[in-house]
Amino acid sequence: MNGILIGVQFFFSCVIGLYFLMQLKNTKQNKTNICKDSEEKYEKMQKLRYIHLSEPLTEKLRPKEERDIIGQEEGIRALKTALCSPNPQHILIYGSPGVGKTAAARIALEMAKQCELSPFTSKSKFVEIDATTLRFDERSVADPLMGSVHDPIYQGAGAYGQAGVPQPKPGAVTKAHGGVLFIDEIGELHPIQMNKLLKVLEDRKVYLESAYYSAYDENTPAYVHDVFKNGLPADFRLIGATTRSREEIPSALRSRCVEIFFKDLDEEEILKIIDRVVEKEHLPIQDEAKEMITQYATNGRDAVSILQTAYNKMLYEHTTDIEKGDVEWIVKSGGYTRALHKKLNTGYYIGKVNGLGVMGHSSGMVLEVESIAKKVGSGKGRCNITGVIEEEELKMNSSKAKRKSMAYSSLENVLTLLKVQYNVEYEDYYIHINFPSGIPVDGPSAGITMFCSLYSALFEEPMPGNIAMTGEVTINGEVYPVGGVSEKIRAAQKAGAKAVIIPKANMQDNYLKEDIEVIPVEKVEEVIQYLWEMPVTKKAENMLHA
């Protein structure tokens, strides 16, 4: 009997031993396979790392110093003022793509590190994220901006998961602690993310939550206890960049930030960028080709891209220079449109006046306005206006409203003023006012321009072609202030204007330092006297007896 029991025990011992032996062999085999697979993948990765394509010029020539950022002197100055101080501020940068917002933010932090009283140190980080690619889970499983908690139930929790401990995962706001968090296209942030960000800006820390956390669990590491009790540190300065308009950014964010505008580049600044690339890369290019690039590139990135394509075409076709024809082919195949860089015409014109507007981000532009006025008989007249926005939609918190555009309203003000103060029975005239720029115009600032254009056409008074103007006109002939006057003056100056007429309420002492005559006015009579130097009453009497 004992022999049988011993035999059975020996049999099962052998079976168990064989089982564990097979398991051991399988484990060793798996480890061997993993090692081989790992070695093969490592070798492939190393081979990939040795493959390098040439760096595009747009990346190679990305600005690295303040002097490399062309055309944004005022923006850089404002950026340094807000960041390079003992108490740096949060910043919002508005501007079109390719004008240097990201590069300027990086450079500004490096300059701030050099300031003696700055709280930034040599270890302060510049953490960059793009709001258009941020993806977060509403359950807070993953949040690259704020941070998240990896609970024990999730796959890959590792040793923490086996111990039932939730793992805090820092987000960008914590990684930027002590430095700068740069959020590109911040206007695209999800409203939930935006609200969380505003809270972090106030608290300077991030609080995380987890149903699996217990303050009394002795297995939880002290680090995790500290995070859930005191939050993750997030004391940084925010720099947000956006291509949206100011009105599209939440007011709660704007109120916490200094707002800085990077303007669109003009042809002279585009030419400086081209010359910089040509000099650094020793590119053979004809002057006519450079001139043509300035006519189609609206920012530095476009200019460098066109230039690089032209250089590639030159190499491919084995020619010696980048010629104008190369650029013509590129702008045609690439669908580029001609940039608006207007130069004023000299001479005198009846009914043609140079107005001023703002386009894009802090970029002034000259808008030509032309009018004709022909008497057709009592009550048989008609008034047309083209080139303006006819109707605009107002979006409010809980409703929408539509109204006639302000440009149309300004025309009605002008017609009333001409009828009441200058005895013009406009119902007897065929009147047509046109804005021929191809850009839909809106806003009240064209009021003074439309008045002068119509006045010139009605009284057949030639207008000087080297004067530009802006201002809202009331039915009583007063000239009210408008926005963007600094940008408009700059645009008039670059377009070759001799003088610019602005509302007196917009006048500043620094305008006197500009290389252009700035004429502040309060009433349209002052405009007429400046332009034609003839008493207003005499013109009105002539019109009355006509």
Side-chain angles (χ1 to χ4, degrees):
M1 187 66 179
N2 289 336
I4 295 173
L5 289 175
I6 293 172
V8 171
Q9 290 176 352
F10 178 75
F11 173 77
F12 280 107
S13 297
C14 290
V15 170
I16 294 171
L18 288 173
Y19 171 77
F20 282 108
L21 181 62
M22 293 299 295
Q23 289 293 105
L24 182 61
K25 287 183 178 181
N26 290 336
T27 302
K28 289 182 178 180
Q29 184 65 37
N30 289 338
K31 286 184 178 180
T32 302
N33 293 337
I34 291 173
C35 289
K36 288 182 178 180
D37 183 67
S38 176
E39 289 176 0
E40 290 177 1
K41 289 183 177 180
Y42 179 78
E43 290 176 1
K44 289 181 180 180
M45 183 59 67
Q46 297 310 306
K47 289 179 181 178
L48 290 176
R49 294 189 189 281
Y50 282 108
I51 299 173
H52 297 284
L53 298 178
S54 58
E55 192 175 15
L57 288 181
T58 50
E59 296 181 14
K60 184 178 181 181
L61 299 175
R62 185 170 292 169
K64 296 179 176 62
E65 299 179 6
E66 181 180 359
R67 63 182 181 181
D68 295 334
I69 301 177
I70 295 173
Q72 305 297 348
E73 291 77 15
E74 291 299 319
I76 293 290
R77 183 181 179 185
L79 193 57
K80 289 193 296 184
T81 302
L83 202 64
C84 303
S85 67
N87 298 293
Q89 300 165 281
H90 301 301
I91 299 167
L92 274 177
I93 306 177
Y94 301 89
S96 301
V99 296
K101 301 187 296 295
T102 305
R106 284 182 175 275
I107 293 168
L109 176 59
E110 294 304 315
M111 289 189 290
K113 291 179 182 180
Q114 307 303 319
C115 295
E116 184 177 353
L117 299 178
S118 173
F120 297 112
T121 68
S122 59
K123 295 182 179 179
S124 295
K125 295 181 180 179
F126 184 90
V127 177
E128 179 181 351
I129 58 175
D130 192 326
T132 60
T133 60
L134 277 179
R135 296 291 181 269
F136 72 101
D137 191 303
E138 294 183 359
R139 299 169 299 170
S140 298
V141 176
D143 193 336
L145 178 60
M146 294 294 129
S148 56
V149 178
H150 199 145
D151 284 328
I153 61 169
Y154 297 130
Q155 186 176 4
Y160 278 75
Q162 295 176 4
V165 176
Q167 302 176 63
K169 301 287 184 180
V173 293
T174 299
K175 294 175 182 177
H177 179 68
V180 166
L181 174 62
F182 180 83
I183 303 181
D184 200 11
E185 296 299 343
I186 193 170
E188 308 302 324
L189 268 184
H190 191 281
I192 293 177
Q193 292 289 80
M194 183 68 76
N195 291 333
K196 288 182 178 180
L197 178 62
L198 294 175
K199 179 65 175 173
V200 171
L201 295 181
E202 291 290 335
D203 296 342
R204 300 188 183 184
K205 60 181 66 177
V206 182
Y207 288 99
L208 302 176
E209 296 181 356
S210 173
Y212 292 85
Y213 171 70
S214 172
Y216 307 103
D217 189 349
E218 296 180 355
N219 294 324
T220 302
Y223 153 74
V224 176
H225 279 303
D226 181 63
V227 168
F228 280 101
K229 181 179 179 180
N230 302 313
L232 287 169
D235 190 0
F236 58 89
R237 288 301 176 266
L238 172 70
I239 301 182
T242 181
T243 55
R244 289 178 174 264
S245 64
R246 172 189 281 180
E247 293 73 21
E248 295 178 278
I249 304 301
S251 57
L253 177 64
R254 290 171 48 199
S255 65
R256 291 169 170 83
C257 300
V258 174
E259 295 180 285
I260 299 173
F261 291 83
F262 273 33
K263 69 181 188 66
D264 295 340
L265 304 181
D266 60 31
E267 56 186 340
E268 294 178 4
E269 292 157 347
I270 294 291
L271 184 58
K272 287 181 182 179
I273 293 174
I274 295 171
D275 287 337
R276 171 175 166 264
V277 176
V278 169
E279 180 182 355
K280 286 191 174 184
E281 297 299 312
H282 307 287
L283 303 182
I285 183 172
Q286 297 178 358
D287 290 340
E288 295 83 358
K290 291 195 294 184
E291 181 67 24
M292 189 165 190
I293 294 176
T294 65
Q295 296 173 7
Y296 285 88
T298 57
N299 56 66
R301 194 176 298 151
D302 282 349
V304 176
S305 179
I306 294 173
L307 188 58
Q308 182 174 9
T309 306
Y311 181 61
N312 293 343
K313 184 176 183 293
M314 184 200 78
L315 295 177
Y316 180 75
E317 296 179 353
H318 304 289
T319 55
T320 56
D321 288 329
I322 299 174
E323 301 176 354
K324 182 181 179 181
D326 298 326
V327 180
E328 288 177 345
W329 176 81
I330 292 167
V331 297
K332 179 181 178 181
S333 62
Y336 289 90
T337 56
R338 196 180 184 92
L340 294 174
H341 301 306
K342 183 175 176 58
K343 294 294 183 183
L344 299 189
N345 297 319
T346 57
Y348 288 79
Y349 307 89
I350 292 178
K352 187 182 290 187
V353 183
N354 298 307
L356 295 168
V358 177
M359 178 180 64
H361 296 274
S362 300
S363 180
M365 62 178 177
V366 177
L367 290 169
E368 193 175 88
V369 181
E370 55 185 10
S371 298
I372 60 171
K374 183 178 180 180
K375 199 164 188 176
V376 293
S378 178
K380 297 180 180 180
R382 186 175 65 177
C383 184
N384 295 329
I385 180 171
T386 50
V388 300
I389 295 174
E390 297 183 2
E391 187 179 67
E392 61 181 345
E393 184 176 86
L394 303 177
K395 294 183 179 180
M396 292 167 275
N397 291 334
S398 58
S399 63
K400 292 182 181 180
K402 290 185 178 181
R403 69 177 182 186
K404 185 184 297 183
S405 76
M406 289 186 284
Y408 260 100
S409 300
S410 294
L411 175 59
E412 293 179 356
N413 289 349
V414 168
L415 292 173
T416 299
L417 175 63
L418 285 168
K419 184 171 184 176
V420 173
Q421 293 196 19
Y422 299 95
N423 303 311
V424 176
E425 296 294 335
Y426 62 86
E427 298 91 346
D428 301 343
Y429 287 82
Y430 176 78
I431 295 173
H432 191 155
I433 301 176
N434 181 44
F435 289 78
S437 64
I439 300 174
V441 177
D442 194 17
S445 64
I448 189 67
T449 312
M450 287 191 287
F451 173 83
C452 289
S453 178
L454 263 181
Y455 188 94
S456 172
L458 288 164
F459 293 105
E460 296 185 351
E461 291 283 0
M463 275 286 302
N466 58 358
I467 293 178
M469 59 190 68
T470 184
E472 180 181 356
V473 171
T474 71
I475 58 176
N476 293 314
E478 295 175 302
V479 181
Y480 276 20
V482 293
V485 172
S486 297
E487 293 81 4
K488 293 173 181 178
I489 292 175
R490 192 180 301 117
Q493 184 177 355
K494 290 185 177 180
K498 181 193 79 170
V500 59
I501 298 172
I502 68 170
K504 189 173 183 179
N506 285 121
M507 187 62 184
Q508 299 178 12
D509 290 340
N510 61 326
Y511 294 159
L512 300 175
K513 302 176 183 178
E514 299 287 347
D515 189 22
I516 186 174
E517 184 182 4
V518 180
I519 300 111
V521 297
E522 289 183 296
K523 290 184 173 293
V524 295
E525 288 91 341
E526 300 173 49
V527 181
I528 295 173
Q529 289 171 353
Y530 173 82
L531 293 174
W532 296 291
E533 298 180 357
M534 182 176 178
V536 178
T537 54
K538 185 176 181 181
K539 291 181 182 288
E541 290 174 2
N542 292 344
M543 193 68 189
L544 182 63
H545 298 299

